[in-house]
Amino acid sequence: MAKAVPAAKAAPGVKATPAAKAAPKTLKSVGEKTVAGINGAGKAAAKPIAKTFLKQAVPAVKTPASKLPKTASPKAGAVAGPKKAVSAAMASAVSAAGGLAGRIPRPKINPGRALIVIGVVFVLFLAGFILANSALFAATDIQVKGSDHVEVETARALIEVPEGTTMFNVDEKAIYDSLKAIPWVKGVDVKREWPHTLVVTPVERKMRAIAFITADEVAWAIGEDGTWIAPLSLVVAVDGEGNEVALNDDGSVPEGAAQLPAFEAALRIAQDSGSLLLTDVPSDISPKGGEPVNAKVVLAGLDYANGFSDEFVAQIKDISVASVEAISANLVSGVEVSLGKPQNIVEKERVVTKLLAEHQGVTYINVREPGAYTFRSTPL
């Protein structure tokens, strides 16, 4: 029979420690704390973790502390268990969600009821189509009105309303297409007067500038949308006091009245219509009604016409557009304003208006650079 071997004595100054017993307590405590944080997985992971650390425990031998074998870190051994537990928990949650989705009742579609709904929608659509094209609301009375530059007779001769038109299916584009040969017209206004009447009125382009071509003594109207509209009649008659008088029915000047020169007539028309008169227009420009304006100097003048306020336009006699860089305006008051390129238009108007309000006797203003303007004035 083998004799029991007494435990080795501890080294001097070193207290013997029962290592085999201490390790399990520490490991058990760490294992419990680590695993307890995982819901539903603590008990499953606790035993494998404890056994793992117990196998690595140091034998119960009294050995100096400096020579004791190092034990495995509890944290290192506690990682594998929680990862598996989390994966298992996620899989369980996904499985539960799938089962819940399977238990949600799906709506049942009744084929018979669906056919009834489709049938009702089809019947309503068919009824609307029949009503829209029914003679019950046929457009049998077409009333055509004129505008400032479109005579009623001209509009009536051009407007075509397609056969079969009712109050519901009026094709306004087709009506406009029959009138767009007139450059003044940019659209049509169609009003319905039930049950059978359509009132059609041409919608004109707004004239914003007039280009006076001195070489031909011709004045062309320009729309605010940058379109050459048409040449204007420059037959303007005035009485002895300079007041405009109506022409005769045949367009001739009434007896006792005088006809204004072409430029003065163009100026009068511009002032009456709230438009800007563009002068010094190059003679090589060839306008065509209904076509867009391509000349840079004319477009620059139009930019000023569209950019200035109506109140300021009323103070301008004409604008010289000899070149884009040298655009200038002559005010009704006699002041010359150097404008330059069509930039900072609103600011230029503000500077000119402020100078005229604060200073008397101003004869010239340079606002090519509104932030560094200059002006001249004569003492009164």
Side-chain angles (χ1 to χ4, degrees):
M1 176 178 295
K3 293 181 178 181
V5 181
K9 293 182 178 181
V14 179
K15 187 178 181 180
T17 303
K21 293 181 179 180
K25 289 182 179 179
T26 304
L27 293 173
K28 181 178 179 182
S29 176
V30 172
E32 289 175 351
K33 290 181 179 180
T34 305
V35 176
I38 310 300
N39 293 334
K43 294 182 179 180
K47 292 182 179 180
I49 294 173
K51 289 180 180 179
T52 300
F53 286 115
L54 288 174
K55 288 180 181 180
Q56 297 178 4
V58 180
V61 179
K62 293 182 180 179
T63 308
S66 60
K67 295 183 179 181
L68 285 175
K70 295 181 179 180
T71 59
S73 173
K75 292 183 180 179
V79 173
K83 283 187 176 180
K84 292 181 180 179
V86 172
S87 299
M90 291 178 63
S92 177
V94 171
S95 176
L100 180 62
R103 290 196 295 271
I104 296 176
R106 296 180 180 180
K108 295 182 180 181
I109 299 176
N110 189 326
R113 183 175 297 177
L115 289 175
I116 292 175
V117 172
I118 294 174
V120 170
V121 172
F122 176 75
V123 169
L124 290 175
F125 174 79
L126 184 61
F129 178 80
I130 294 174
L131 184 63
N133 295 275
S134 171
L136 183 63
F137 294 100
T140 56
D141 182 15
I142 311 299
Q143 297 182 8
V144 178
K145 294 186 176 181
S147 57
D148 291 341
H149 299 90
V150 181
E151 298 289 339
V152 175
E153 293 75 13
T154 303
R156 186 178 291 119
L158 293 175
I159 288 178
E160 295 180 1
V161 178
E163 186 177 354
T165 296
T166 69
M167 303 295 285
F168 294 100
N169 65 4
V170 180
D171 189 347
E172 295 188 17
K173 183 179 181 304
I175 298 175
Y176 164 67
D177 288 342
S178 64
L179 275 178
K180 68 180 181 180
I182 304 175
W184 281 102
V185 179
K186 73 170 184 179
V188 291
D189 177 57
V190 179
K191 292 183 179 179
R192 295 166 174 80
E193 296 183 357
W194 301 88
H196 302 292
T197 303
L198 292 178
V199 180
V200 182
T201 305
V203 177
E204 292 191 359
R205 286 187 169 88
K206 182 179 179 181
M207 181 174 63
R208 194 58 180 171
I210 298 174
F212 184 77
I213 303 176
T214 307
D216 302 323
E217 289 196 340
V218 176
W220 270 82
I222 305 173
E224 61 182 352
D225 59 352
T227 301
W228 290 112
I229 300 178
L232 300 171
S233 171
L234 297 180
V235 180
V236 177
V238 293
D239 57 21
E241 297 179 356
N243 298 316
E244 187 174 347
V245 297
L247 300 175
N248 294 325
D249 293 340
D250 59 359
S252 61
V253 177
E255 186 177 353
Q259 181 177 340
L260 290 177
F263 177 79
E264 295 296 328
L267 181 60
R268 179 70 66 95
I269 295 172
Q271 292 173 339
D272 291 345
S273 62
S275 305
L276 274 184
L277 181 64
L278 307 182
T279 62
D280 299 321
V281 177
S283 58
D284 59 348
I285 292 178
S286 302
K288 185 177 180 181
E291 297 292 328
V293 176
N294 294 319
K296 292 183 179 180
V297 291
V298 178
L299 287 174
L302 182 62
D303 286 340
Y304 277 112
N306 287 328
F308 286 147
S309 66
D310 292 339
E311 293 76 15
F312 192 63
V313 167
Q315 301 179 45
I316 300 175
K317 178 182 177 183
D318 60 74
I319 285 185
S320 172
V321 292
S323 68
V324 175
E325 294 77 11
I327 294 177
S328 62
N330 296 309
L331 304 187
V332 176
S333 61
V335 178
E336 180 185 355
V337 181
S338 179
L339 297 169
K341 295 181 180 180
Q343 299 170 348
N344 304 315
I345 297 175
V346 174
E347 181 64 10
K348 291 178 180 180
E349 175 183 335
R350 187 191 68 80
V351 171
V352 173
T353 303
K354 184 173 183 291
L355 282 174
L356 293 176
E358 295 179 351
H359 300 274
Q360 295 182 349
V362 176
T363 58
Y364 174 82
I365 302 174
N366 185 338
V367 287
R368 293 187 180 188
E369 295 295 336
Y373 63 86
T374 61
F375 69 100
R376 292 195 302 265
S377 61
T378 57
L380 299 177

